[in-house]
Amino acid sequence: MSTRTFRITVRGSFDALTADQRAGLLAAAPEHDILHAVFTTEGHLTYDVTPGPFFTFRFLDSGETEEDVLDATARAGHDPGGNGPGGRRGARMAAQRTATP
């Protein structure tokens, strides 16, 4: 069986941000602009909180079976290291997660 690379996209919204959290996101916004979007093994977050509290998290993983796709998708949303949206304070994930083999 050959190894496949998965590009996983998680879309969601920041939920009930405090003024300090919103200010922090605005200050870091240039680093998270959509023009810098990439798929990486660490994951990459893009957002623009000015028009709305939405974000996209892109994650790169690999595996050989369908279960590997499911595991990678779960890791993208619940990264205990805090890189995924599930590790970000004030983040709420939407139901949409897509994996592209």
Side-chain angles (χ1 to χ4, degrees), residues 32-76:
H32 300 281
D33 189 273
I34 187 68
L35 296 176
H36 303 290
V38 294
F39 286 91
T40 67
T41 55
E42 300 83 27
H44 186 264
L45 180 69
T46 58
Y47 63 83
D48 184 356
V49 294
T50 304
F54 305 106
F55 64 81
T56 302
F57 182 72
R58 291 168 179 83
F59 183 80
L60 186 67
D61 207 340
S62 61
E64 296 179 354
T65 67
E66 185 66 25
E67 289 79 25
D68 294 332
V69 174
L70 298 174
D71 291 344
T73 302
R75 280 193 302 276

